[in-house]
């Protein structure tokens, strides 16, 4: 299933039908009830578009509804819910019953959902989340390693910027009692986009 259809199903939205047939530029699906794309001048996500001629009714709903880019949300076939940053940790540790999709954002303005269109998740231990235009691969096993370490570093009052970059200042290294094992891990994990999300969500 495509994301736009999952959203409409969860929210019980019956989008208005258009009368142009073709393939949808957002999801790639064929529809007889599409619209001729009327992309606004502030649209910048051209590189993520599919080959197509129309916008299908479901994607048309998503494109015209601002909340999909101006908020973070989680959707499954049973529920659509906006989320706050403080809720992200629990959500990643306990994602909904599949199928589901999770969208996060730092900018609150990018049409990041376009990239998630065919990235509906069917596995609660390995799945994708969208963050602005990035797709981040989440593995539960990895989360269970990253989260306690990020928490420890933040507890020790190490600046988030350093935790994120993996480059700890001499002062921060002192704060972790020059623990080489921790230093090495932080340096290594900092290359993983999921680590960045873990730091951001704390
Ligand atoms: Zn579509």
């Amino acid at each position: 299933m495509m994301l736009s259809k999952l959203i409409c199903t969860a929210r019980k939205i019956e989008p208005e039908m258009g009368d142009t047939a073709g393939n949808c530029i957002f999801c790639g699906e064929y529809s007889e009830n599409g619209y001729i794309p009327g992309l606004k001048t502030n649209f910048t996500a051209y590189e993520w578009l599919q080959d197509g001629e129309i916008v299908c009714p479901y994607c048309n709903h998503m494109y015209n509804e601002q909340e999909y880019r101006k908020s973070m949300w989680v959707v499954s076939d049973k529920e659509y819910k906006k989320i706050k940053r403080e809720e992200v940790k629990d959500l990643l540790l306990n994602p909904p019953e599949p199928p589901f999709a999770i969208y996060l954002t730092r900018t609150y303005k990018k049409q990041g959902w376009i990239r998630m269109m065919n990235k509906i998740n069917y596995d609660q231990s390995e799945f994708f989340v969208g963050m602005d235009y990035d797709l981040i691969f989440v593995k539960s096993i990895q989360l269970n390693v990253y989260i306690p370490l990020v928490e420890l570093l933040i507890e020790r009052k190490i600046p988030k910027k350093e935790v994120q970059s993996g480059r700890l200042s001499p002062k921060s290294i002192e704060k972790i009692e020059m623990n080489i094992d921790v230093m090495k891990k932080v340096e290594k994990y900092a290359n993983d986009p999921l680590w960045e999300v873990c730091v951001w969500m704390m």
Side-chain angles (χ1 to χ4, degrees), residues 4 24-29 55-60 117:
S4 53
C24 175
I25 58 170
F26 291 120
C27 69
E29 299 275 280
V55 177
C56 78
Y58 305 99
C59 292
N60 193 51
M117 202 44 84

Side-chain angles (χ1 to χ4, degrees), residues 59-125:
C59 292
N60 193 51
H61 161 73
M62 282 196 84
Y63 180 64
N64 287 309
E65 195 68 61
Q66 300 304 312
E67 69 174 88
Y68 300 117
R69 66 188 180 96
K70 289 188 173 169
S71 57
M72 303 199 266
W73 40 265
V74 52
V75 63
S76 68
D77 54 0
K78 293 180 192 65
E79 191 184 29
Y80 165 86
K81 206 173 76 170
K82 287 194 196 180
I83 47 173
K84 296 196 180 77
R85 193 170 56 107
E86 304 80 66
E87 298 170 295
V88 174
K89 183 175 109 179
D90 278 344
L91 180 62
L92 296 187
L93 290 170
N94 306 292
E97 289 268 315
F100 69 92
I102 296 170
Y103 180 65
L104 309 174
T105 177
R106 279 185 232 261
T107 65
Y108 293 92
K109 58 182 181 194
K110 293 189 176 146
Q111 305 272 21
W113 55 269
I114 296 171
R115 286 214 68 194
M116 298 164 61
M117 202 44 84
N118 59 359
K119 284 283 186 288
I120 301 294
N121 297 296
Y122 295 92
D123 184 333
Q124 288 169 301
S125 57

Side-chain angles (χ1 to χ4, degrees), residues 27-46:
C27 69
E29 299 275 280
Y30 179 81
S31 171
E32 307 248 302
N33 306 105
Y35 294 87
I36 292 170
L39 296 176
K40 294 160 194 141
T41 48
N42 61 359
F43 185 82
T44 52
Y46 287 99

Side-chain angles (χ1 to χ4, degrees), residues 114-171:
I114 296 171
R115 286 214 68 194
M116 298 164 61
M117 202 44 84
N118 59 359
K119 284 283 186 288
I120 301 294
N121 297 296
Y122 295 92
D123 184 333
Q124 288 169 301
S125 57
E126 292 193 359
F127 53 92
F128 282 99
V129 301
M131 186 178 224
D132 294 310
Y133 290 135
D134 294 325
L135 286 172
I136 294 159
F137 188 53
V138 180
K139 271 187 178 180
S140 297
I141 291 182
Q142 216 60 46
L143 272 184
N144 290 327
V145 173
Y146 289 174
I147 290 174
L149 185 54
V150 171
E151 280 173 341
L152 172 99
L153 295 166
I154 289 175
E155 235 172 64
R156 298 283 173 97
K157 307 247 177 322
I158 296 172
K160 270 192 165 188
K161 226 179 174 170
E162 290 182 26
V163 179
Q164 194 142 74
S165 69
R167 288 186 294 274
L168 303 185
S169 70
K171 207 172 147 194

Side-chain angles (χ1 to χ4, degrees), residues 184-198:
K184 276 193 177 157
K185 279 182 179 155
V186 173
E187 206 180 300
K188 181 174 148 208
Y189 298 158
N191 296 315
D192 183 349
L194 180 58
W195 174 263
E196 211 176 314
V197 172
C198 287

